[in-house]
Each structure stands twice: as C-alpha cells, then as structure tokens.
Amino acid sequence: MSICDLRIHDLRCFGNKTFHFTPHLNFVIAQNGAGKTSLLEALYLLSCGHSFRTREISPLIRHGQTEFTLFARLYNNDTLSIQKSLKNAPIIKINQSFCKRTSELAQYLPCQIYYQDIFSMIDGGPAQRRTMLDWGMFHVEQCYHQQLKSYYQILKQRNALLRQNKNRQWFKPWDCELDSLGESLHSLRKNYINSLQLKIEALLKELSNVECTLKYEKGWDKREQGISLYEQLQANFEKDVQKGYTTAGIHQADIHFLTEQNSAKKMFSRGQQKILLIAVKMAQTELITAPCLHLLDDIFAELDIEHIQRLLNKISKSQGQFIISMLPNSRDHIKMYKNENIISL
C-alpha cells in the first residue's frame, strides 16, 4: 500500500496542511524544527494508531487546540483516518468503517520506522529487541499475535498468583499452558530468525563491508541442555515466589548481534552499527509479502558518503514507499534522483 495524499489538521506544528507523495521515493527537506519528524509521525500514526515519540495525546495536539485529525488517501483509493482528542475516545477508520483495534491498522499498512532511537536495538535492554522481533513476527506469522497475546494473559495470571500463594499445586495449570504456548512461539521465532539472518547477510553485502550474526536466546535453558519451559518453571519456583514474577519464558528472550571477534556494540563504529540496524529493519520488510511504508528520519547522520550512496542505491531498487527526511545541506546526496518527489517545509 502506498499513500497518495495526507491531510493534517492540528498535529504538532501543523494547522491545516496537505501533502502529496509518489508511490516510491520521497524526500522531505527542511531545517531542524520545521516539522520533518512530525510529518513522519503523522504517517506512522495512520499505520500504528500511536506515535513513535510518545504514547501521550496532549503533546501531539497543536497548542491551543483539543484534538488532531489525520486523513490519507492511498493510490488504490482506499482511505485511512484517525482523530484523537483530549476529551473523547479515539476515532479510527479504514475506508469509512470503524477500526476497533490498532492491530487492524498495522496489518493493513505495514510501516517500518527508522528514527534516532534506532541504536536502542543495540544499546537498550532485551525488551527493545523483542519489540523488533515481535514486529516482524506479527507480519509474517498469522497465528503469532494471538498466541503471544494468550501467553501474556497467562503470564499475568501466574505473576498475580506468585504474590498471593506459595502452593506449587496451584501453578501446574498455568505452567502447562505457558510451556505449550512458549514452545510454540519459540519455534516460530527460531524459524523467523533463521530466515532473517539470510536476508541481513545479503543486505550487508550491498550496504557495507561488515558482517554480523544474530544469536537468539529463547528465555530459558540458557546452557541449551534440552530443558523444557515447564521444567525451568519448576526449577525457578522458589526464585519466582521471592521476586514476585516469572523469571523464565519467551518474555525473557533476547537477540545478540555478534561479529567473529565480539559483539557488534563493542566492535562496530557508530556508523557501522547504524548500517547494521538499517539492514535488520529492511530485511524484516523483505520477509513481508505486502509492500511496506518506510519512514526514515535524518537517516544520513553518522554515515559517511560511501554508505549514504550505497544505502540510497539500495532504496532506489527496493519495493515499498520511502519517505526520507533530511537537512538542506544533504541535497547533494540526492541529485541523481531528480524525478523523485521533494517536499520542502
């Protein structure tokens, strides 16, 4: 899906503004503070129902107003709209039909964001990397989202029980359910990581000269001794009671980015890390059957000229719609793309 027109009303610095996009490559050029990131934020909201900068509504609404509205027309003439207010419940529509869950938006318009927090995939904790993994799994495996939702519902019940009761017998039903769902989800994740690794390797050959391997840890049996999740839950019972939460399971999973010598965090420069993480995100979109909306915010920072040109060359040959924000002094990098859409703010 590609967005053709976007109308913004009272979002951030925009009062009433309309933007037109081409189906493939679009450049948004402006100085800092002009609204480049806010424009990408509006597009992201139409895909996910929330901002990538904040989960609060008030910072999104233009000063002095009480609500914002976004409306987009796609190239196939479908429409998306979202209205968020300080007083009323959000209103989200796909083709004028009310959308009850934001997951419907995400499924309808897959969107990958490349923002300044991209380094959190390396610098941040495991939750950041699980979020990246869950995004890809959501779009590739139809059963994954519901299984993951069920898993977390059971996990919530078990954690509540840990704070109330120390009788092991009460935990057996929950542990059996967590074991069954956890093993299923792990199997899906493992297959996905294997496919993702191949895509990343191919992309890195086009984008850079670095190599990296993903190591996936499922969240239990760290020594890989063949211990089931149920057995791990039994072994960790006393520790779980003491801590008041479940310490093993797919909610503790992690991904490590490794080089031949050490971790990518220790061995790669900041520019090399950024290229790696861009490759990871682009690789995820290549595993999706539907074209993806790519939002790249100030993507050239930390990259040298060679990596910028290799990235642009790859983007120009890739499927999907790309909307790339940049500063005016980056214009020289896009001289060869004279026929593409340039938006000046």
Side-chain angles (χ1 to χ4, degrees):
M1 298 290 183
S2 296
I3 293 178
C4 180
D5 300 303
L6 170 67
R7 295 206 299 267
I8 301 177
H9 182 71
D10 290 335
L11 176 77
R12 298 276 190 187
C13 62
F14 298 116
N16 287 288
K17 192 76 173 177
T18 299
F19 297 94
H20 175 78
F21 304 101
T22 59
H24 185 218
L25 195 53
N26 303 267
F27 298 103
V28 182
I29 301 177
Q31 296 288 355
N32 289 328
K36 299 189 302 296
T37 304
S38 296
L39 174 55
L40 301 188
E41 187 176 30
L43 293 162
Y44 188 85
L45 275 157
L46 284 167
S47 170
C48 301
H50 61 82
S51 167
F52 55 80
R53 293 199 278 184
T54 179
R55 289 302 180 100
E56 297 181 22
I57 297 176
S58 57
L60 301 175
I61 300 174
R62 189 168 176 244
H63 181 68
Q65 305 302 314
T66 59
E67 65 183 30
F68 74 81
T69 304
L70 304 172
F71 177 87
R73 181 174 64 87
L74 280 61
Y75 271 90
N76 63 357
N77 285 321
D78 285 358
T79 60
L80 298 172
S81 65
I82 182 169
Q83 182 182 83
K84 288 201 172 186
S85 168
L86 295 175
K87 299 178 181 179
N88 302 313
I91 300 174
I92 303 174
K93 294 182 180 180
I94 300 176
N95 290 326
Q96 302 304 316
S97 297
F98 288 101
C99 178
K100 296 181 180 180
R101 296 180 296 274
T102 54
S103 59
E104 294 178 42
L105 277 178
Q107 191 71 50
Y108 184 82
L109 182 65
C111 177
Q112 188 69 286
I113 179 70
Y114 307 72
Y115 185 50
Q116 63 186 17
D117 68 346
I118 192 170
F119 291 107
S120 66
M121 289 167 60
I122 286 180
D123 297 336
Q128 301 288 339
R129 293 178 284 278
R130 287 195 297 271
T131 297
M132 176 271 291
L133 176 60
D134 290 340
W135 183 94
M137 294 295 301
F138 172 81
H139 289 288
V140 171
E141 292 289 347
Q142 292 184 349
C143 64
Y144 181 80
H145 180 65
Q146 186 56 52
Q147 285 192 22
L148 187 67
K149 185 178 179 180
S150 298
Y151 176 92
Y152 275 105
Q153 288 173 341
I154 296 167
L155 179 67
K156 183 179 179 180
Q157 296 292 334
R158 188 180 194 270
N159 287 344
L161 191 60
L162 283 168
R163 296 187 287 269
Q164 299 170 7
N165 197 308
K166 298 181 181 180
N167 188 333
R168 280 179 178 262
Q169 295 303 315
W170 286 82
F171 290 84
K172 186 173 181 179
W174 304 115
D175 291 354
C176 288
E177 287 292 328
L178 283 180
D179 177 71
S180 177
L181 284 168
E183 293 288 357
S184 176
L185 288 163
H186 163 62
S187 178
L188 292 173
R189 283 179 169 182
K190 186 176 180 180
N191 291 336
Y192 177 78
I193 289 292
N194 290 337
S195 298
L196 184 63
Q197 176 68 51
L198 296 176
K199 291 288 187 181
I200 292 171
E201 289 175 359
L203 276 164
L204 284 176
K205 289 179 180 178
E206 295 187 69
L207 298 177
S208 186
N209 299 317
V210 301
E211 296 181 359
C212 184
T213 301
L214 303 187
K215 181 183 178 182
Y216 169 65
E217 291 183 354
K218 59 185 178 181
W220 72 94
D221 189 23
K222 289 187 176 181
R223 296 182 180 180
E224 298 181 356
Q225 298 175 318
I227 298 173
S228 69
L229 177 54
Y230 182 84
E231 291 171 328
Q232 190 78 72
L233 291 171
Q234 302 306 300
N236 290 11
F237 181 75
E238 295 299 333
K239 180 170 66 173
D240 290 355
V241 169
Q242 184 178 7
K243 290 182 176 292
Y245 63 87
T246 305
T247 57
I250 57 118
H251 62 287
Q252 298 289 346
D254 199 0
I255 299 172
H256 302 282
F257 301 99
L258 304 177
T259 68
E260 289 186 357
Q261 295 82 18
N262 210 312
S263 68
K265 181 177 181 179
K266 294 181 178 179
M267 302 303 298
F268 285 1
S269 68
R270 210 59 170 168
Q272 289 173 324
Q273 289 181 26
K274 190 167 189 178
I275 281 292
L276 165 63
L277 297 174
I278 290 171
V280 171
K281 283 179 168 282
M282 291 187 72
Q284 287 190 289
T285 67
E286 291 187 1
L287 291 174
I288 301 174
T289 54
C292 185
L293 172 63
H294 300 256
L295 306 176
L296 298 91
D297 190 41
D298 196 20
I299 200 65
F300 299 147
E302 291 98 12
L303 300 182
D304 57 30
I305 294 176
E306 179 186 353
H307 283 103
I308 290 172
Q309 291 305 319
R310 291 174 75 166
L311 176 58
L312 285 172
N313 288 337
K314 176 59 182 176
I315 287 173
S316 68
K317 296 181 292 184
S318 299
Q319 292 186 342
Q321 186 176 34
F322 291 81
I323 301 174
I324 306 170
S325 75
M326 64 180 67
L327 293 169
N329 60 14
S330 298
R331 272 184 178 270
D332 289 345
H333 300 312
I334 61 172
K335 284 182 177 179
M336 67 181 72
Y337 305 101
K338 294 181 181 178
N339 295 326
E340 302 301 341
N341 189 33
I342 295 180
I343 300 169
S344 298
L345 298 180

